[in-house]
């Protein structure tokens, strides 16, 4: 199914981007510990938060892509769930963008769209998994 494949690819790309950004953050961290403790500016903290959220959100997309193939939910429900799960990646992207733009207010909208998509994806995933359980019982 094309929806599951979309989530698999997006999840893998998100995890790769998050890993590469983690390496980049780690390589540039030393100046912030010159006085013995970390004094990280807000923009760097937001980029770090985007990196740390990118990994689990990528993994969520991969797991969803694997589960959606086996679900018995309607095609419309599976398609909507796939899109919402893919859009949930906007949360870590928006947080990182907010850091890269040094706190731009427009990036908050991207984060909110990702967050609400994540909530919707959770509800849709629950419906998909519930339909999977009903199919096995019946």
């Amino acid at each position: 199914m094309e929806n599951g494949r979309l989530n698999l690819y997006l999840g893998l790309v998100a995890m790769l981007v998050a890993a590469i950004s983690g390496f980049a953050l780690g390589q540039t961290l030393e100046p912030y510990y010159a006085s013995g403790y970390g004094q990280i500016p807000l923009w760097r903290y937001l980029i770090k938060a985007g990196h740390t959220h990118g990994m689990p959100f990528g993994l969520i997309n991969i797991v969803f892509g694997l589960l959606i193939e086996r679900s018995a939910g309607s095609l419309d429900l599976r398609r909507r769930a796939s899109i919402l799960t893919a859009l949930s990646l906007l949360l870590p992207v928006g947080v990182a963008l907010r850091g890269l733009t040094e706190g731009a207010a427009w990036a908050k909208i991207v984060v909110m769209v990702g967050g609400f998509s994540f909530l919707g994806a959770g509800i849709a995933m629950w419906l998909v998994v519930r339909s999977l359980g009903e199919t096995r019982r019946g």
Side-chain angles (χ1 to χ4, degrees):
M1 181 178 180
E2 64 189 49
N3 293 332
R5 192 172 302 141
L6 167 75
N7 294 108
L8 284 171
Y9 288 139
L10 281 175
L12 290 169
V13 168
M15 290 188 75
L16 286 173
V17 169
I20 291 168
S21 68
F23 285 126
L25 284 168
Q27 291 297 316
T28 60
L29 191 61
E30 194 170 325
Y32 296 106
Y33 286 91
S35 61
Y37 58 93
Q39 295 179 342
I40 301 172
L42 178 62
W43 68 269
R44 186 173 177 85
Y45 178 78
L46 289 169
I47 294 172
K48 180 182 165 197
H51 152 71
T52 56
H53 283 77
M55 288 288 194
F57 276 68
L59 186 60
I60 287 167
N61 268 276
I62 291 170
V63 169
F64 181 83
L66 294 171
L67 280 178
I68 197 71
E69 292 275 339
R70 294 170 176 80
S71 73
S74 69
L75 181 62
D76 187 47
L77 174 63
R78 291 185 296 181
R79 184 171 290 132
R80 288 174 193 238
S82 176
I83 291 169
L84 284 171
T85 306
L87 286 175
S88 71
L89 286 170
L90 288 176
L91 191 145
V93 168
V95 172
L97 281 175
R98 190 149 185 250
L100 290 171
T101 59
E102 296 184 6
W106 62 266
K108 289 180 185 178
I109 297 169
V110 177
V111 174
M112 289 175 56
V113 169
F116 286 126
S117 296
F118 184 65
L119 288 173
I123 293 168
M125 177 60 88
W126 177 72
L127 292 171
V128 167
V129 170
R130 192 181 93 192
S131 68
L132 177 65
E134 290 173 357
T135 303
R136 288 190 178 175
R137 280 187 224 136

